[in-house]
């Protein structure tokens, strides 16, 4: 079955003190070419000397009239009528904060040992970030950042990209206008980085210390350290109103619910140590959270309000990353062990399509392009990046990068603000 995706940007107007009204859509010129008009382009040369596979002709810059009517952060949630939880992240809804920022893909090469007993990568390129131009698939930048860079995380205001170099206990800022790194900031064990919906705090998942640490989002000075009653806390997502967030604990199989302001533990549920919960994302209904169960080959659905398990959706072996489609109605789930991506329809409660990587692969973390036409994922155990066409799921390219690429970020993307990770926007 062919997965649906958004091909156009939405133009919205806001009445004084009233709700947002959806108007007709108008695509900007210079979008990606239609599938029927795709043809090979130039071959990108990676630092390793290897080359990617087929590359399409490049698009023009994404420009949209919706930018001029961009809704300020924390405005009333009128956009829910357009796309549920992700009503403000539709194609074209770029923030004025990213005006002029080039569209680029940032890939952290962690150099971690191979996953699940596989042999470690022999690739000498590790502890680096590779920068790729998504229009041409060419590598346009490459620099050192420190040991074990896990994710590239957009700041709440989208003015800085942070590289979570957990092995060096640092965050490395990248200027998204120049794609150049700045002076590192000392932060203890930053495996993952999030931001509260009001932008008041940066939330660091200090996985190896079993802690959640709160920092000033600008200076990255520590405010509060919270010991968690689990092992391997590393992924999280916030409720639709931002009052609480739910975090997953990979090694103990727990799921924790915290009050965002007080950091008081509200609830705890056990999925089981063998499940190995990974990424977690709020669904389009604004109530159901979906958890990637690595060893259960699918998504566990829980009700955020009651913290009760309400369903399970089979995807594939090694379910790891969850990435909403540009219209917010579908979830792309990367199945790392199966070498595939499952397209999940939360309303139907099932996977409606499977995209398999020819010859195998290890799709991990990434994001959807600003126009929604491509899904970019790191190949964790194959030292490469995958690009899928979201109209039919076929593989557009596999681009060689450094050792064990992890949480890549496609930037910029539509949204009022970033909640962190590799780009969780609202």
């Amino acid at each position: 079955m062919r997965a649906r995706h958004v091909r156009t940007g939405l133009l919205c107007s806001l009445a004084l003190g009233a709700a947002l009204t959806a108007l007709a859509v108008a695509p900007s010129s210079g979008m990606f070419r239609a599938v029927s008009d795709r043809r090979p382009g130039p071959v990108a040369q990676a630092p390793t000397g290897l080359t990617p596979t087929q590359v399409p002709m490049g698009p023009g810059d994404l420009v949209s009239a919706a930018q001029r009517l961009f809704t300020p952060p924390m405005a009333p949630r009128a956009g829910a009528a357009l796309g549920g939880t992700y009503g403000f992240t539709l194609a074209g809804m770029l923030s004025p904060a990213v005006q002029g920022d080039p569209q680029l893909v940032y890939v952290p090469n962690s150099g971690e040992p191979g996953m699940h007993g596989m042999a470690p990568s022999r690739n000498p390129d590790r502890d680096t970030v590779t920068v790729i131009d998504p229009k041409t698939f060419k590598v346009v930048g490459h620099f050192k950042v420190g040991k074990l860079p896990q994710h590239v995380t957009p700041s709440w205001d989208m003015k800085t990209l942070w590289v979570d170099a957990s092995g060096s206990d640092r965050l490395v800022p990248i200027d998204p206008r120049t794609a150049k790194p700045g002076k590192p900031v000392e932060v203890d064990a930053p495996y993952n980085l999030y931001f509260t919906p009001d932008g008041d705090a940066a939330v660091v998942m200090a996985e190896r210390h079993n802690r959640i640490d709160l920092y000033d989002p600008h200076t990255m000075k520590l405010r509060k350290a919270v010991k968690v009653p689990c092992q391997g806390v590393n992924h999280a997502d916030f409720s639709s109103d931002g009052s609480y967030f739910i975090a997953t604990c990979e090694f103990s199989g727990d799921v924790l619910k915290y009050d965002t302001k007080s950091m008081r533990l509200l609830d705890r549920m056990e999925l089981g140590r063998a499940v190995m919960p990974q990424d977690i994302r709020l669904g389009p209904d604004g109530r159901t959270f979906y958890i990637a169960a690595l060893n259960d080959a699918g998504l566990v659905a829980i009700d955020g309000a009651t913290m009760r398990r309400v369903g399970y959706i089979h995807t594939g072996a090694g379910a790891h990353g969850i990435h909403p489609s540009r219209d917010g109605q579908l979830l792309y789930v990367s199945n790392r062990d199966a070498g595939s991506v499952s397209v999940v329809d939360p309303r139907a409660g099932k996977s409606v399509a499977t995209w398999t990587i020819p010859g195998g692969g290890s799709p991990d973390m990434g994001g959807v392009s600003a126009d929604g036409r491509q899904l970019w994922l790191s190949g964790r155990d194959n030292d490469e990046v995958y690009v899928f066409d979201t109209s039919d799921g076929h593989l557009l390219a596999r681009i060689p990068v450094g050792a064990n690429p992890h949480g890549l970020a496609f930037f910029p993307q539509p949204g009022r603000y970033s909640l962190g990770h590799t780009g969780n926007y609202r």
Side-chain angles (χ1 to χ4, degrees), residues 45-96:
Q45 185 70 29
T48 57
L50 301 176
T51 55
T53 56
Q54 179 180 356
V55 179
M57 294 297 288
D61 293 329
L62 180 64
V63 180
S64 173
Q67 290 177 326
R68 300 193 297 271
L69 300 173
F70 179 75
T71 307
M74 303 310 292
R77 299 186 69 259
L82 298 178
T85 300
Y86 304 103
F88 291 107
T89 65
L90 307 181
M93 289 185 169
L94 292 171
S95 164

Side-chain angles (χ1 to χ4, degrees), residues 78 137 234 243 347:
F137 292 8
N234 55 26
S243 63
R347 293 168 299 179

Side-chain angles (χ1 to χ4, degrees), residues 53-412:
T53 56
Q54 179 180 356
V55 179
M57 294 297 288
D61 293 329
L62 180 64
V63 180
S64 173
Q67 290 177 326
R68 300 193 297 271
L69 300 173
F70 179 75
T71 307
M74 303 310 292
R77 299 186 69 259
L82 298 178
T85 300
Y86 304 103
F88 291 107
T89 65
L90 307 181
M93 289 185 169
L94 292 171
S95 164
V98 301
Q99 180 71 37
D101 290 354
Q103 284 197 6
L104 295 169
V105 178
Y106 299 83
V107 187
N109 304 303
S110 67
E112 283 186 299
M115 307 300 292
H116 312 302
M118 295 178 65
S121 171
R122 295 182 179 180
N123 192 331
D125 178 13
R126 56 191 65 225
D127 305 330
T128 60
V129 167
T130 298
V131 185
I132 301 171
D133 184 340
K135 304 170 193 172
T136 63
F137 292 8
K138 290 183 178 180
V139 172
V140 295
H142 194 71
F143 45 84
K144 285 279 189 179
V145 290
K147 295 180 180 179
L148 291 179
Q150 302 288 357
H151 307 89
V152 175
T153 300
S155 63
W156 180 85
D157 59 10
M158 294 176 281
K159 294 181 179 180
T160 304
L161 300 174
W162 292 102
V163 184
D164 317 333
S166 61
S168 292
D169 294 324
R170 66 171 60 163
L171 293 175
V172 180
I174 299 174
D175 184 341
R177 292 187 180 275
T178 64
K180 301 297 184 183
K183 183 179 179 180
V185 178
E186 291 187 10
V187 170
D188 191 17
Y191 177 85
N192 225 330
L193 175 64
Y194 294 90
F195 296 90
T196 56
D198 61 4
D200 180 65
V203 183
V204 169
M205 299 294 167
E207 180 188 51
R208 70 174 182 266
H209 296 319
N210 298 321
R211 264 193 352 246
I212 299 177
D213 296 337
L214 300 185
Y215 288 81
D216 181 286
H218 306 291
T219 65
M220 291 300 172
K221 297 297 184 182
L222 182 65
R223 290 179 180 171
K224 186 176 185 179
V226 179
K227 196 73 174 177
V228 298
C230 70
Q231 295 179 327
V233 61
N234 55 26
H235 292 89
D237 201 3
F238 292 83
S239 61
S240 59
D241 64 2
S243 63
Y244 67 87
F245 67 89
I246 297 177
T248 61
C249 302
E250 178 177 0
F251 305 126
S252 60
D254 297 294
V255 179
L256 308 178
K257 179 179 179 179
Y258 280 93
D259 181 279
T260 303
K261 286 296 184 183
S262 68
M263 284 301 295
R264 179 170 62 91
L265 182 62
L266 301 176
D267 209 341
R268 173 184 178 181
M269 69 181 298
E270 297 179 4
L271 295 181
R273 184 178 297 271
V275 172
M276 295 193 73
Q278 307 288 311
D279 199 9
I280 177 172
R281 292 301 291 263
L282 180 62
D285 65 1
R287 181 182 180 94
T288 308
F289 287 78
Y290 295 89
I291 301 170
L294 188 77
N295 290 344
D296 272 3
L299 299 182
V300 175
I302 66 172
D303 185 302
T306 65
M307 286 291 283
R308 294 182 181 275
R309 182 168 174 158
V310 294
Y312 168 81
I313 301 173
H314 177 76
T315 60
H320 187 72
I322 306 172
H323 310 89
S325 60
R326 184 53 60 218
D327 65 359
Q329 300 305 301
L330 299 172
L331 300 176
Y332 302 129
V333 181
S334 53
N335 306 309
R336 192 166 63 199
D337 296 341
S340 67
V341 171
S342 295
V343 182
V344 170
D345 184 342
R347 293 168 299 179
K350 63 180 180 179
S351 174
V352 296
T354 300
W355 305 338
T356 301
I357 298 172
S362 51
D364 196 274
M365 287 290 182
V368 176
S369 61
D371 63 5
R373 299 189 180 192
Q374 295 178 346
L375 172 65
W376 285 69
L377 297 172
S378 60
R380 189 79 169 272
D381 294 322
N382 294 81
D383 301 348
E384 58 190 353
V385 166
Y386 311 114
V387 188
F388 295 88
D389 185 317
T390 58
S391 68
D392 58 12
H394 84 272
L395 194 66
L396 291 171
R398 48 201 314 165
I399 307 169
V401 288
N404 307 117
H406 193 184
L408 73 78
F410 188 111
F411 188 87

Side-chain angles (χ1 to χ4, degrees), residues 11-23 69 71-72 75-76 78:
L11 183 60
C12 308
S13 62
L14 193 63
L16 286 174
L20 190 69
T21 302
L23 298 180
L69 300 173
T71 307

